[in-house]
C-alpha cells in the first residue's frame, strides 16, 4: 500500500512537528486540509502530551503525527556547566539578571519514559515519529503492533540504515538546510552535513524504506522536486511557523518576515545540540566562544531559556530560539488550511 493510502492523505505533505511552535490546532487544520499534521511532545510530559493528542482528535478524525525526542540522556558535567554560566554571566548582567546557579536536564528522553510509552499505547495516535535517535526495538515493535505507523529522522545513510534495521516504517531525510534541531543521533560524531537533495536521493537509492524529504522545502515546486527525487512526501517546518495557528511569538514572526530571514545559523550554543536558527543576538555569541563548548543537550537549553527570559523581560527578544531553515524568506503567513491548499495547487502546477 502506498504511503498516502496507508495514512489516508490527499497530499504528499507533512507539517513538521515543532516542539513549542506547532500546536494541536495547527496539526488538526493541516490534517483536515489533506496533509499530515504533527505535534511535537518532546518538551512535555505524558500528561500534557495526552491532552495535546486529545485536542487534535477533538478537531479532526484524520491521521496526525506525534513526535518524540529520543536523545541520549545527558550526563551532567558541573565544571563545564559552571564555565558556561560564567561565559553567559556578562550577557545576563546586561539585562540586570544573574545566570541560574545550576542547570537541569529539562527534557526527558523517550528512551527512558515508560509513562509516555504507556500513554501512547493506550491512545494509539495514527503516526509516531522519533528525532535524535531510536527507542529500543521492543518499544518500536509494541507501537507498530498497536497499528501505529512509525517514522524517524536521519541525517546520514548510517542513521537511515539503523532506522530500517529497527523496523521503523519510514525515514525522514533531514538535510542541512532544515530549520530547528538536526536529528543527528550523536552530536559529538563527525557530521557530513548533507543537503536535502543529496541525502534524499542517497536514501531512496540505498535505504530500504519509504523516504520523506525535509529541509528547505517551502512551496509546491519544492515538494515536486522532492517527489522527483523519489521521496514519498515532503516534510515542511519553517513554512508553517508563520501560520497564525502556530505558537510562534510576535518577535519570532517579525524576525522571520524581516531581513533576518535571509540569514540562518547552525549552532549548538542555544540548546547544546546543533540547530538552525535565524541569526540573532544569541547566535552572534558564537563568534566569542573561543574554544568553549556549551553543556550537553538539553542542559545548555536551560541556560538558553533563562537568558531569553531575562532579556525578554527588558524588551530584548534577540535571545529567543528563533528556529528556521534556509528557506525562511520564502515563508508565507497564511492560515494553515489556505497554505496547504496553495501548496497543493502549486504542486499540481509543478507536475504538469
Ligand atoms: C521551529 C521548529 C521546531 C522544530 N522542532 C522539531 C521537533 O520537535 N521534532 C522534530 O522531529 N523536528 C523538529 N524540527 C525539524 C523539522 O522536523 C524538519 O526537519 C525541518 O523543519 C525541515 O526543514 P524546514 O524547516 O526548512 O522545512 C523543527 C523545525 C522547526 C523550524
Amino acid at each position: 500500500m502506498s504511503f498516502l493510502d496507508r495514512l489516508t492523505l490527499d497530499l504528499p505533505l507533512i507539517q513538521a512537528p515543532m516542539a513549542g511552535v506547532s500546536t494541536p490546532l495547527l496539526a488538526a487544520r493541516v490534517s483536515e486540509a489533506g496533509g499530515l499534521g504533527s505535534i511535537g511532545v518532546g518538551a512535555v510530559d505524558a500528561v500534557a502530551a495526552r491532552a495535546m493528542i486529545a485536542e487534535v482528535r477533538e478537531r479532526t478524525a484524520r491521521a496526525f503525527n506525534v513526535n518524540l525526542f529520543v536523545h541520549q540522556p545527558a550526563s551532567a558535567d558541573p565544571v563545564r556547566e559552571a564555565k558556561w554560566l560564567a561565559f553567559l554571566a556578562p550577557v545576563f548582567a546586561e539585562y540586570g539578571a544573574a545566570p541560574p546557579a545550576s542547570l537541569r536536564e529539562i527534557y526527558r528522553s523517550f528512551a527512558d519514559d515508560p509513562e509516555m510509552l504507556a500513554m501512547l499505547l493506550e491512545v494509539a495516535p495514527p503516526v509516531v515519529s522519533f528525532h535524535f535517535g531510536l527507542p529500543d526495538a521492543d518499544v518500536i515493535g509494541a507501537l507498530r503492533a498497536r497499528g501505529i505507523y512509525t517514522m524517524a529522522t536521519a541525517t546520514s545513510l548510517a542513521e537511515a540504515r539503523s532506522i530500517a534495521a529497527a523496523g521503523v516504517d519510514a525515514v525522514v531525510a533531514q538535510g542541512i538546510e532544515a530549520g530547528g534541531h538536526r536529528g543527528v543521533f550523536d552530536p559529538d560524531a563527525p557530521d557530513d552535513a548533507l543537503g536535502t537533495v543529496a541525502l534524499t536521493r542517497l536514501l531512496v537509492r540505498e535505504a530500504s524504506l519509504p523516504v520523506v524529504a525535509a529541509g528547505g522545502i517551502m512551496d509546491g515546486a519544492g515538494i515536486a522536486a522532492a517527489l522527483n527525487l523519489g521521496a514519498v512526501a515532503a516534510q515542511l517546518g519553517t513554512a508553517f511557523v508563520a501560520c497564525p495557528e502556530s505558537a510562534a511569538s510576535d518577535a519570532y514572526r517579525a524576525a522571520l518576515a524581516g531581513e533576518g530571514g535571509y540569514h540562518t545559523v547552525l549552532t549548538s550554543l542555544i540548546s547544546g545540540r546543533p540547530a538552525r536558527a535565524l541569526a540573532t543576538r544569541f547566535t552572534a555569541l558564537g563568534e566569542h566562544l573561543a574554544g568553549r563548548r556549551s553543556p550537553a543537550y538539553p542542559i545548555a537549553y536551560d541556560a538558553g531559556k533563562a537568558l531569553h527570559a531575562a532579556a525578554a523581560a527588558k524588551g530584548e527578544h534577540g535571545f529567543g530560539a528563533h528556529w528556521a531553515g534556509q528557506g525562511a524568506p520564502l515563508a508565507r503567513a497564511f492560515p494553515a488550511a489556505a497554505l496547504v491548499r496553495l501548496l497543493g495547487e502549486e504542486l499540481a502546477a509543478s507536475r504538469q
Side-chain angles (χ1 to χ4, degrees), residues 97-124:
S102 62
L103 297 174
R104 292 178 311 114
E105 179 168 12
I106 54 172
Y107 299 153
R108 186 167 177 187
S109 172
F110 184 61
D112 178 26
D113 194 345
E115 288 90 8
M116 188 71 87
L117 175 62
M119 184 278 293
L120 291 171
L121 291 174
E122 184 194 327
V123 306

Side-chain angles (χ1 to χ4, degrees), residues 73-149:
S75 41
D77 181 341
V79 174
R80 185 168 158 197
E81 287 146 29
K83 281 188 183 160
W84 188 246
L85 289 172
F87 167 62
L88 294 180
V91 195
F92 274 93
E94 275 184 51
Y95 302 100
S102 62
L103 297 174
R104 292 178 311 114
E105 179 168 12
I106 54 172
Y107 299 153
R108 186 167 177 187
S109 172
F110 184 61
D112 178 26
D113 194 345
E115 288 90 8
M116 188 71 87
L117 175 62
M119 184 278 293
L120 291 171
L121 291 174
E122 184 194 327
V123 306
V127 183
V128 162
S129 65
F130 311 115
H131 204 50
F132 301 144
L134 292 169
D136 288 343
D138 56 338
V139 170
I140 295 168
L143 292 167
R144 295 187 73 232
R146 189 75 173 86
I148 298 169
Y149 191 86

Side-chain angles (χ1 to χ4, degrees), residues 16-19 21 67 69 131 174 178-180 214-216 235-238 252 323 325:
M18 298 182 281
V21 174
N67 175 260
F69 293 157
H131 204 50
Q174 189 197 37
Q235 178 162 304
L236 284 64
T238 303
Y252 186 179
W323 307 131

Side-chain angles (χ1 to χ4, degrees), residues 14-22 38-43 65 67-69 129-132 152-153 172-183 196 213-218 235-241 248 252 276 297 321-328:
I14 301 176
Q15 165 251 313
M18 298 182 281
V21 174
S22 55
S38 304
I39 50 172
V41 301
N65 169 34
N67 175 260
L68 300 141
F69 293 157
S129 65
F130 311 115
H131 204 50
F132 301 144
T153 308
V172 179
Q174 189 197 37
I176 194 73
E177 301 93 324
H181 282 94
R182 247 169 109 54
T196 304
I217 302 172
M218 301 298 292
Q235 178 162 304
L236 284 64
T238 303
F240 286 95
V241 171
Y252 186 179
R276 185 173 295 283
Y297 176 92
H322 294 165
W323 307 131
Q326 291 178 339

